[in-house]
Amino acid sequence: MIDLHVHTSLSMGKQTPAAAMRFAKAAGYRAIAFTEHVDATNMRQVLESLLPMIRTYSLYSGIDLYAGVELTHIPPQLIPDSITEARELGAQIICVHGQTLADIVDEGTNLAAIEGGADYLAHPGLITEQEAVLAAEKNVHLEITTRAEHALTNGHIAKVADMTGAPLIINNGGYRGYDFINKDRRRAIALGAGMSKEQYQQTENNSRMIISKMMML
């Protein structure tokens, strides 16, 4: 299993990156990406903390680690430049905090994330068909989340992705160790969102392809 949406005490999580790494490994994950909540005030500091850690700890931990960011509550007009800045600072994966029903997110955030070329759009809520078409064109993945408060629109996201060809990934968006769910529950949540077994398998393959791309950077 792969989880590309992990939070730690560097932003809003409840444990250090090392502790999150340990829980993920114990739950059976072979790779995780730390995607801390950031904006202009903390992006540089977070990446400067994460990048040396993941390079060293990946050698000894038995799990592959990657350093990224989740651009959160950034005005939509600034999102494309923030994506560029994060890449220049060394972020290996970039997601944007999408228009989930569980939070108050600016209208236009989903579109700005897709136009800006984020790697994936986290919990995009009631994403429109037009936005999903653009996500398919730009290969911006849409997230199916196992996190309960953000999962209210999983079925809608899966349906729109199926209609438009937008690629999907499955993440936990975890803040604590027990947020790393096992393979059976992960599969059940995907199927519960209306995905076929074949769509679920493709979604898991998408995460592996993202990891392969990061390994080549």
Side-chain angles (χ1 to χ4, degrees):
M1 292 183 292
I2 296 169
D3 187 357
L4 301 176
H5 191 167
V6 177
H7 297 296
T8 77
S9 54
L10 287 175
S11 60
M12 295 174 64
K14 302 301 182 182
Q15 55 196 357
T16 65
M21 171 194 74
R22 183 69 187 90
F23 276 101
K25 182 183 177 182
Y29 287 80
R30 69 177 184 86
I32 60 172
F34 300 114
T35 49
E36 306 292 356
H37 290 289
V38 302
D39 56 24
T41 66
N42 68 335
M43 186 191 302
R44 180 180 294 274
Q45 297 95 309
V46 164
L47 288 169
E48 286 180 347
S49 294
L50 279 176
L51 286 165
M53 179 267 185
I54 62 104
R55 283 193 289 266
T56 303
Y57 281 50
S58 288
L59 298 174
Y60 303 100
S61 61
I63 183 172
D64 293 330
L65 306 174
Y66 299 91
V69 294
E70 180 178 4
L71 302 174
T72 304
H73 291 304
I74 293 174
Q77 300 90 332
L78 300 179
I79 288 175
D81 285 345
S82 296
I83 292 172
T84 298
E85 180 183 2
R87 294 205 193 282
E88 291 174 348
L89 290 172
Q92 294 168 297
I93 188 163
I94 299 167
C95 71
V96 173
H97 185 81
Q99 291 174 228
T100 172
L101 299 187
D103 200 354
I104 303 172
V105 181
D106 277 350
E107 187 72 28
T109 293
N110 285 352
L111 181 59
I114 296 166
E115 289 180 335
D119 295 300
Y120 73 87
L121 180 55
H123 41 66
L126 295 174
I127 187 169
T128 67
E129 184 176 342
Q130 293 78 13
E131 289 166 344
V133 167
L134 184 61
E137 292 175 358
K138 296 181 72 69
N139 198 37
V140 175
H141 293 68
L142 308 181
E143 182 184 72
I144 298 294
T145 179
T146 71
R147 192 165 182 82
E149 62 265 40
H150 294 310
L152 297 173
T153 54
N154 275 350
H156 169 77
I157 295 162
K159 179 180 178 180
V160 171
D162 187 43
M163 291 168 54
T164 61
L168 294 172
I169 55 173
I170 301 173
N171 289 320
N172 296 320
Y175 288 78
R176 301 173 178 85
Y178 57 75
D179 289 329
F180 291 105
I181 63 172
N182 64 35
K183 186 175 182 179
D184 289 341
R185 183 161 179 79
R186 182 179 171 98
R187 181 176 181 273
I189 289 171
L191 297 182
M195 298 170 66
S196 68
K197 294 178 181 178
E198 293 75 20
Q199 288 170 322
Y200 164 69
Q201 189 57 57
Q202 180 58 56
T203 298
E204 295 288 49
N205 289 341
N206 289 341
S207 293
R208 287 190 281 271
M209 287 188 285
I210 291 174
I211 290 290
S212 296
K213 178 182 175 182
M214 286 193 288
M215 290 176 66
M216 294 185 293
L217 294 177

